[in-house]
């Protein structure tokens, strides 16, 4: 079943069109990656889909319902959750408060269950629950951002560059968690610069270039594609990570 | 200066300072959440005081027979109506300017301030209006100092409300939403928080507190004037800055400090100097400790 359907989406900053009419879709429980260089329009697409920006034109359906231009809090209530670029934890609030804010529209019982589950996923956060989120390392902050998103019981989790600025080992840990989130049946839309890792988790991918989708296909096909290898994986040598 | 005089001025200062603190709360909460100095706050204080007079005159004889019940009704009605007025102010004067440069809403808040005060003057005239006597003004003697029952009531109500607001902001869901928006409005929206409503609600809460302060002030001084919002609005602003703007306990600390300091000033200088002293304090604070007594520069990691 189609969970998210995007038709001719255009996102503009004033006169600049960052996204120039893209179409894509995502099924329930599917993990899809959105790839592309800096400025290709990936983050702008996520901002429009999460409700942080109003699309200039186009249509978005979620779960069969029209959701074009709904504000962010209403998208979140429908189960569309964005983990924004740069994590954006609430620095002066404690880790516990950050996680509880993720479950803002969930019942107290749900929050208690989900908090336990988040701490099982990220055991290192347990000792830091009462620390201010701003005092955590970048990796721990990403865990808070992911945990906070899971607390909202998302049906579609959108991740904007989750590995950005993280040490390789920490990034690997975060990718493993994303893999297990996807395996748990939550649909994931993953925006990543690390194309190899992203396609290792996602089943399909779209490549954005200058605001347009120029290529799409299964992860295996994209990984084998000569253009992708040249442009994003290092001169077609296929040296992996 | 005798010790007795000193103690008496401290007590007087604490009473009036608790009222300043209540008004300062509105400045500090709105600043904390949207980084706007809402100068309309002084006018909301005045509007609250006048709505209190209106309530008492509507209550008529009942208000004189049951002054405490009358006061309670005046406090509640004034808080509700002034909260409603704050809602209108936010909708009309600030929300349309949400994405404008910060100077625009600041100027808009000054305009709103003068607009409300002018309307009050047009409706009521320039004559002061009297407040009914709620409690005995015959002061109690406590050791070397004297304290009127009304004054004690005012300080207790004001301080309890401020402590209540502090726990509201720290403990409740709405309070947590306010603090989240203060850090990062977009991220708060992504949590499913209706940030527009929380901001509006913060304005309304600030307005309601200003109204309570206005009514208490009227009861303490026995009368209200059409321009009272100018001076006391700025004094409360000074209190908010002194305590650390954006910091809720800071409003109480700042209010009490300004109250006591300006009270002290009357020992050494004629009463007319009080305004000059308050604003000299503001300049000193801004020069020496711009973040205020309880304010801190918070390091935020990207």
């Amino acid at each position: 079943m189609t969970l998210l359907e995007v038709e001719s989406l255009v996102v503009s900053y004033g006169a600049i069109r960052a996204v120039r009419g893209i179409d894509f879709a995502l099924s329930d429980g599917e993990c899809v990656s959105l790839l592309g260089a800096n400025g290709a329009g990936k983050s702008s697409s996520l901002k429009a889909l999460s409700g942080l920006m109003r699309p200039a034109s186009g249509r978005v359906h979620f779960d069969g319902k029209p959701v074009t231009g709904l504000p962010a809090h209403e998208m979140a209530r429908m189960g569309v959750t964005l983990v924004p670029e740069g994590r954006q934890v609430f620095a002066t609030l404690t880790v516990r408060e950050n996680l509880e804010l993720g479950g803002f529209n969930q019942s107290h019982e749900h929050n208690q269950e989900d908090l336990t589950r988040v701490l099982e996923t990220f055991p290192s956060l347990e000792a830091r629950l009462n620390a201010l989120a701003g005092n955590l390392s970048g990796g721990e902050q990403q865990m808070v951002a992911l945990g906070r998103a899971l607390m909202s019981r998302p049906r579609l989790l959108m991740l904007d560059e989750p590995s950005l600025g993280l040490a390789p080992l920490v990034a690997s840990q975060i990718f493993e968690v994303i893999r297990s989130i996807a395996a748990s049946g939550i649909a994931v839309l993953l925006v990543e610069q690390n194309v190899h890792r992203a396609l290792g988790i996602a089943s399909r991918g779209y490549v954005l270039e200058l605001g347009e989708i120029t290529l799409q296909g299964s992860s295996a096909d994209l990984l084998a594609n000569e253009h992708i290898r040249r442009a994003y994986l290092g001169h077609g040598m296929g040296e992996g990570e | 200066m005798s010790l007795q005089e000193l103690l008496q001025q401290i007590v007087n200062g604490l009473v009036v300072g608790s009222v300043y603190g209540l008004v300062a709360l509105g400045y500090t909460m709105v600043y904390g959440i949207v980084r706007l100095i809402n100068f309309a706050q002084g006018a909301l204080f005045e509007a609250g005081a006048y709505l209190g007079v209106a309530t008492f005159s509507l209550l008529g004889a009942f208000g004189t027979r049951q002054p405490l019940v009358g006061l309670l009704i005046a406090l509640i009605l004034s808080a509700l109506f002034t909260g409603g007025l704050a809602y209108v102010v936010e909708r009309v004067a600030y929300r349309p300017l949400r994405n404008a440069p910060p100077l625009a809403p600041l100027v808009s808040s000054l305009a709103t301030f003068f607009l409300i005060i002018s309307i009050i003057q047009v409706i009521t005239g320039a004559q002061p209006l009297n407040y009914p006597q709620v409690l005995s003004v015959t002061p109690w003697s406590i050791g070397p100092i004297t304290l009127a029952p009304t004054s004690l009531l005012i300080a207790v109500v004001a301080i309890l409300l401020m402590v209540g607001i502090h726990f509201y902001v720290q403990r409740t869901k709405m309070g947590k939403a306010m603090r989240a928006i203060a850090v990062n409005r977009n991220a708060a929206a992504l949590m499913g928080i209706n940030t527009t409503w929380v901001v509006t609600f913060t304005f309304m809460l600030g307005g309601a507190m200003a109204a309570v302060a206005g009514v208490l002030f009227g009861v303490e001084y026995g009368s209200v004037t059409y321009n009272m919002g100018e001076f006391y609005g700025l004094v409360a602003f000074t209190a908010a800055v002194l305590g650390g703007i954006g910091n809720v306990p800071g409003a109480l600390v700042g209010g009490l400090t300004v109250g006591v300091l300006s009270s002290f000033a009357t020992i050494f200088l004629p009463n007319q100097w009080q305004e000059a002293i308050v604003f000299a304090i503001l300049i000193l604070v801004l020069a020496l400790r711009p973040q205020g007594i309880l304010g801190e520069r918070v390091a935020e990691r990207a």
Side-chain angles (χ1 to χ4, degrees):
Chain A
M1 193 206 81
T2 304
L3 184 66
L4 179 76
E5 195 169 9
V6 179
E7 293 168 85
S8 338
L9 182 74
V10 175
V11 185
S12 305
Y13 298 85
I16 300 157
R17 300 206 320 166
V19 178
R20 300 156 177 249
I22 60 170
D23 299 84
F24 71 96
L26 191 145
S27 300
D28 210 354
E30 197 184 14
C31 179
V32 170
S33 185
L34 210 50
L35 308 168
N38 262 338
K42 305 178 307 269
S43 289
S44 302
S45 302
L46 291 194
K47 277 183 187 156
L49 294 175
S50 65
L52 283 180
M53 280 185 78
R54 270 187 85 89
S57 66
R59 282 172 304 281
V60 182
H61 280 77
F62 180 74
D63 204 14
K65 290 181 278 285
V67 295
T68 321
L70 281 187
H73 69 272
E74 284 182 36
M75 292 305 290
R77 282 174 201 186
M78 295 187 79
V80 180
T81 302
L82 170 68
V83 179
E85 187 177 347
R87 306 177 275 279
Q88 303 197 22
V89 297
F90 301 107
T92 54
L93 273 60
T94 65
V95 170
R96 181 190 292 276
E97 287 173 332
N98 268 272
L99 295 174
E100 285 169 354
L101 277 161
F104 191 76
N105 292 308
Q106 296 293 326
S107 67
H108 184 64
E109 290 70 35
H110 278 185
N111 274 345
Q112 279 179 318
E113 275 173 42
D114 294 349
L115 184 61
T116 313
R117 206 167 317 142
V118 165
L119 294 178
E120 279 166 16
T121 311
F122 303 110
S124 61
L125 290 185
E126 178 127 36
R128 313 291 320 256
L129 275 177
N130 295 318
L132 296 184
N135 291 339
L136 268 53
S137 70
E140 287 172 323
Q141 287 190 8
Q142 188 58 264
M143 293 175 195
V144 172
L146 268 172
R148 191 174 67 169
L150 290 174
M151 298 282 292
S152 70
R153 303 206 160 190
R155 293 189 60 199
L156 169 61
L157 183 64
M158 303 191 289
L159 302 154
D160 196 354
E161 307 274 7
S163 76
L164 195 73
L166 299 184
L169 209 62
V170 184
S172 292
Q173 196 189 345
I174 295 293
F175 280 120
E176 274 323 298
V177 171
I178 295 169
R179 187 192 298 281
S180 71
I181 291 170
S184 75
I186 296 172
V188 175
L189 182 57
L190 177 60
V191 162
E192 252 301 324
Q193 301 251 2
N194 190 332
V195 172
H196 199 270
R197 291 311 271 279
L199 291 175
I201 297 173
S203 56
R204 293 190 296 126
Y206 295 90
V207 178
L208 267 175
E209 275 165 11
L210 298 173
E212 285 169 32
I213 290 177
T214 53
L215 204 60
Q216 54 181 294
S218 72
S219 293
D221 286 349
L222 289 177
L223 279 170
N225 182 288
E226 194 54 36
H227 173 66
I228 298 270
R229 295 172 80 87
R230 216 174 280 285
Y232 304 107
L233 294 173
H235 304 291
M237 301 304 291
E239 73 252 81
E241 293 155 44
Chain B
M1 175 188 59
S2 67
L3 180 66
Q4 182 198 349
E5 203 180 357
L6 192 72
L7 284 173
Q8 185 64 52
Q9 289 306 336
I10 290 180
V11 170
N12 294 353
L14 289 176
V15 171
V16 66
S18 64
V19 178
Y20 296 157
L22 213 46
V23 185
L25 206 54
Y27 281 108
T28 228
M29 289 177 78
V30 167
Y31 182 85
I33 198 164
V34 284
R35 296 285 179 274
L36 163 73
I37 306 292
N38 177 22
F39 279 113
Q41 182 73 1
L44 293 173
F45 162 74
E46 180 177 317
Y50 274 83
L51 284 165
V53 176
T55 311
F56 274 114
S57 72
L58 281 178
L59 289 172
F62 175 80
T64 11
R65 266 182 288 126
Q66 296 280 351
L68 276 182
V69 181
L71 175 63
L72 189 65
I73 296 173
L75 285 174
I76 292 170
L77 286 184
S78 174
L80 286 176
F81 277 97
T82 310
L85 182 58
Y87 173 83
V88 174
V89 167
E90 197 272 336
R91 274 313 290 266
V92 175
Y94 303 130
R95 203 186 294 180
L97 301 173
R98 203 163 82 181
N99 298 317
L103 196 57
L106 186 75
V107 172
S108 180
S109 88
L110 279 168
T112 309
F113 169 82
F114 285 111
L115 177 66
I116 294 174
I117 286 196
S118 308
I119 291 173
I120 291 174
Q121 189 187 357
V122 169
I123 295 175
T124 68
Q127 297 302 316
L129 295 184
N130 287 329
Y131 250 78
Q133 188 184 322
V134 173
L135 280 178
S136 162
V137 286
T138 316
W140 295 322
S141 289
I142 307 160
I145 58 159
T146 60
L147 180 66
T150 319
S151 307
L152 181 66
L153 178 76
I154 285 163
V156 168
V157 170
I159 290 172
L160 279 181
L161 269 177
M162 278 184 274
V163 173
I165 294 280
H166 174 69
F167 282 106
Y168 183 78
V169 171
Q170 288 303 316
R171 297 285 165 80
T172 65
K173 234 176 132 168
M174 182 55 124
K176 215 176 287 166
M178 289 174 176
R179 288 186 291 135
I181 295 172
V183 183
N184 186 332
R185 185 161 178 164
N186 275 347
L190 292 176
M191 303 297 110
I193 296 168
N194 184 345
T195 56
T196 308
W197 163 241
V198 176
V199 167
T200 308
F201 182 77
T202 306
F203 272 87
M204 292 170 71
L205 200 58
M209 291 306 124
V212 169
V215 174
L216 294 178
F217 181 90
V219 169
E220 168 78 359
Y221 288 93
S223 71
V224 290
T225 56
Y226 77 93
N227 60 357
M228 64 189 275
E230 293 174 9
F231 175 59
Y232 293 104
L234 285 173
V235 172
F237 171 62
T238 305
V241 173
L242 179 61
I245 195 149
N247 183 307
V248 170
L252 175 61
V253 172
L256 295 180
T257 311
V258 169
V260 170
L261 287 178
S262 60
S263 218
F264 273 172
T266 59
I267 302 177
F268 307 104
L269 292 164
N271 266 336
Q272 304 90 290
W273 280 90
Q274 202 174 1
E275 299 195 12
I277 296 298
V278 169
F279 298 116
I281 294 171
L282 178 60
I283 293 170
L284 270 180
V285 172
L286 290 174
L288 298 177
R289 194 174 160 82
Q291 72 272 40
I293 297 172
L294 295 185
E296 44 199 299
R297 293 200 190 86
V298 182
E300 277 173 43
R301 251 184 245 183

